[in-house]
């Protein structure tokens, strides 16, 4: 999107938690399998492989959100590398991204300053920010699912949609008045 629209758009990532608290009953079941299989069929939508590990399925999303913010402290490029590595870790490699040890290993694999990352993650320095962004998403925009993309603080696109849908909304927002 940045390549196509350049400075006309300002992309900001915000945290929204599917589960803020650990839930030991969460498992990879037929319901999740169906969603992942459907997502895997979307063109340019990434790879979604059914959970194939003996590791527990992630119990909540707070640790990975905190970890993403810790990566952001090392720069936007570090965030993007880390974010995409997290997506690959859960959806392709079946890694438990609610486990701090896994999150630290991913930081190392992505070439982040691991001692800085680990210090930030284990101290909980990003927890309040993540929780605040989560509540803001609910209270200001009514976010209930991911992905939810907010355009101009006025329009929301919920769910995984083709790139063209996002482009249409951006064009509509940036269209001259009266057209």
């Amino acid at each position: 999107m940045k390549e196509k629209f350049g400075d006309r758009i300002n992309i900001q990532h915000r945290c929204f938690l599917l589960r803020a608290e650990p839930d030991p009953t969460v498992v990879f079941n037929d319901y999740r399998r169906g969603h992942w299989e459907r997502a895997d069929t979307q063109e340019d939508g990434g790879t979604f492989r059914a959970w194939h590990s003996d590791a527990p399925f992630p119990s909540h999303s707070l640790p990975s959100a905190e970890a993403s913010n810790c990566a952001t402290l090392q720069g936007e490029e570090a965030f993007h590398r880390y974010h995409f590595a997290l997506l690959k870790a859960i959806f392709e490699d079946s890694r438990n991204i609610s486990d701090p040890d896994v999150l630290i290993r991913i930081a190392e694999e992505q070439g982040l300053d691991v001692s800085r990352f680990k210090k930030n993650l284990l101290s909980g320095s990003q927890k309040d920010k993540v929780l605040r962004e989560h509540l803001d998403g609910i209270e200001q925009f009514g976010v209930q699912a991911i992905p939810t993309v907010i355009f101009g603080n006025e329009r929301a696109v919920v769910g995984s949609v083709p790139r063209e849908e996002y482009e249409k909304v951006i064009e509509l927002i940036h269209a001259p008045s009266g057209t």
Side-chain angles (χ1 to χ4, degrees):
M1 292 296 170
K2 264 313 227 187
E3 289 176 15
K4 180 171 182 168
F5 294 101
D7 291 339
R8 292 187 340 177
I9 62 172
N10 176 18
I11 299 173
Q12 299 177 7
H13 297 271
R14 297 288 186 260
C15 295
F16 183 76
L17 306 170
L18 293 177
R19 281 180 308 281
E21 298 293 328
D23 181 350
T25 67
V26 173
V27 296
F28 191 83
N29 55 19
D30 288 340
Y31 174 78
R32 282 192 179 79
R33 182 181 314 281
H35 282 283
W36 286 29
E37 286 173 354
R38 190 176 73 243
D40 195 44
T41 64
Q42 292 193 20
E43 189 176 320
D44 298 327
T47 302
F48 293 79
R49 292 178 55 202
W51 194 261
H52 56 277
S53 171
D54 291 334
F57 191 72
S59 64
H60 62 309
S61 47
L62 181 59
S64 59
E66 287 182 84
S68 289
N69 279 7
C70 291
T72 302
L73 297 173
Q74 296 186 34
E76 185 176 341
E77 199 271 327
F79 163 77
H80 288 293
R81 274 196 336 266
Y82 192 80
H83 177 74
F84 287 110
L86 281 178
L87 295 175
K88 182 180 183 304
I90 187 170
F91 294 122
E92 291 182 43
D93 301 335
S94 297
R95 294 170 76 181
N96 180 354
I97 61 171
S98 62
D99 180 338
D101 291 334
V102 171
L103 297 169
I104 292 165
R105 260 185 256 117
I106 294 170
E108 183 176 10
E109 293 162 5
Q110 295 308 307
L112 274 62
D113 177 337
V114 176
S115 62
R116 179 179 172 194
F117 178 89
K118 186 175 180 177
K119 177 183 174 189
N120 287 321
L121 181 65
L122 298 179
S123 73
S125 71
Q126 297 302 299
K127 184 176 183 176
D128 288 344
K129 182 176 190 261
V130 167
L131 294 173
R132 188 171 50 255
E133 289 178 0
H134 175 75
L135 289 175
D136 286 349
I138 293 168
E139 293 170 358
Q140 291 180 16
F141 302 107
V143 175
Q144 297 178 21
I146 60 168
T148 296
V149 179
I150 310 293
F151 293 89
N153 289 335
E154 57 198 52
R155 289 187 176 89
V157 175
V158 179
S160 181
V161 299
R163 168 183 230 140
E164 294 77 28
E165 293 298 316
Y166 296 124
E167 291 174 355
K168 286 178 189 174
V169 174
I170 293 169
E171 293 291 355
L172 182 65
I173 289 172
H174 288 286
S177 297
T179 59

